Amino acid sequence: MSVISALPFLKPVHLRPPRSSAARQRRHTLPASEFRCLTPEDAISVFEIEREAFISVSGDCPLHLDEIRHFLNLCPELSLGWFEEGRLVAFIIGSLWDQDRLSQDALTLHKPHGSTVHIHVLAVHRTFRQQGKGFILMWRYLQYLCCLPYVRRTTLMCEDFLIPFYSKCGFKELGPCEVTVGSLNFIEMNYDICGHAFMRRNSGC
Ligand SMILES: CC(C)(COP(=O)(O)OP(=O)(O)OC[C@H]1O[C@@H](n2cnc3c(N)ncnc32)[C@H](O)[C@@H]1OP(=O)(O)O)[C@@H](O)C(=O)NCCC(=O)NCCS
């Protein structure tokens, strides 16, 4: 028996064909997993996920392409994307709001002096759902918001069936939302960032 076959765990290392320089470069330039704020250049990828997640189901979506571009131009720092090998797999888009509760205006406006982050949309690409990605992305987003000194809380509106998901993420129900879209009604949910002031002061961000 040769030394190699006696040590089967070594085989893959010795038998793997050498990587081409292009493959090496791709591996170098496209990290397996990356979290970063979105840019207007990501708008099409965002919309593709929305198209599948919402338009194919209900005929409409939280943000249309021009609105995605609008918010990614105005407040890209309130978005977060999860990329796997350069491909967008999940995202959050937020903007600032300056009232206690959401109103119809909140769907289209960014209030630069507000201290509430209104999360317009969280969506995970179809093939990556039910793997914990939505929860992890929200968790990272909330941690990130703790580092923004002007943010005191974050709010969102969701349909009843997603209340358990957002509750698991730490959101509390505020009650029915005054905003309606077509025949859809929503519950408004809140996450208090102020409670993390100590963490913010001591996190070095
Ligand atoms: C909702 C969404 C963001 C959750 O992300 P995800 O990565 O699939 O979720 P996770 O794997 O982190 O968590 C799974 C939990 O989400 C909840 N959930 C996800 N989709 C749900 C659905 N359609 N109905 C009810 N609960 C759902 C459940 O609580 C589930 O927990 P369970 O596995 O114990 O049942 C994702 O399913 C999605 O993009 N859906 C389409 C777009 C959407 O509805 N976005 C939210 C409104 S803006």
Side-chain angles (χ1 to χ4, degrees), residues 53-54 122-124 129-135 161-162 165-166:
F54 301 101
L122 156 69
V124 176
R129 284 184 203 142
Q130 292 292 324
Q131 300 171 16
K133 282 193 162 49
F135 177 83
F161 69 88
L162 282 175
F165 172 76
Y166 287 117

Side-chain angles (χ1 to χ4, degrees), residues 42-199:
D42 296 311
I44 302 266
S45 307
V46 165
F47 189 63
E48 281 307 312
I49 295 180
E50 268 205 302
R51 195 206 302 270
E52 183 283 322
F54 301 101
I55 299 180
S56 66
V57 176
S58 66
D60 202 357
C61 59
L63 295 177
H64 297 131
L65 186 55
D66 56 333
E67 294 167 325
I68 295 168
R69 290 200 174 108
H70 173 72
F71 288 120
L72 294 185
N73 270 307
L74 282 178
C75 46
E77 70 283 1
L78 298 177
S79 66
L80 188 62
W82 184 337
F83 296 80
E84 297 269 347
E85 297 184 340
R87 176 185 179 206
L88 185 68
V89 299
F91 68 89
I92 291 175
I93 292 180
S95 67
L96 287 175
W97 184 240
D98 60 358
Q99 308 289 318
D100 286 346
R101 299 293 296 261
L102 295 174
S103 65
Q104 208 74 30
D105 279 351
L107 302 189
T108 50
L109 297 182
H110 167 58
K111 300 278 193 169
H113 300 296
S115 58
T116 297
V117 171
H118 168 211
I119 296 179
H120 293 268
V121 56
L122 156 69
V124 176
H125 187 283
R126 174 175 44 89
T127 54
F128 295 89
R129 284 184 203 142
Q130 292 292 324
Q131 300 171 16
K133 282 193 162 49
F135 177 83
I136 292 169
L137 184 66
M138 181 59 84
W139 185 84
R140 289 191 75 129
Y141 185 70
L142 295 171
Q143 295 297 306
Y144 165 69
L145 293 184
C146 288
C147 297
L148 302 181
Y150 51 88
V151 175
R152 299 179 67 83
R153 68 185 190 103
T154 181
T155 189
L156 56 81
M157 45 188 251
C158 68
E159 289 181 78
D160 286 352
F161 69 88
L162 282 175
I163 292 174
F165 172 76
Y166 287 117
S167 298
K168 203 168 71 179
C169 293
F171 284 77
K172 303 267 184 296
E173 281 182 62
L174 288 180
C177 184
E178 78 165 59
V179 182
T180 55
V181 177
S183 60
L184 294 179
N185 294 299
F186 302 94
I187 297 295
E188 197 168 329
M189 299 192 76
N190 179 75
Y191 182 98
D192 210 349
I193 302 277
C194 302
H196 296 272
F198 175 82
M199 192 194 301

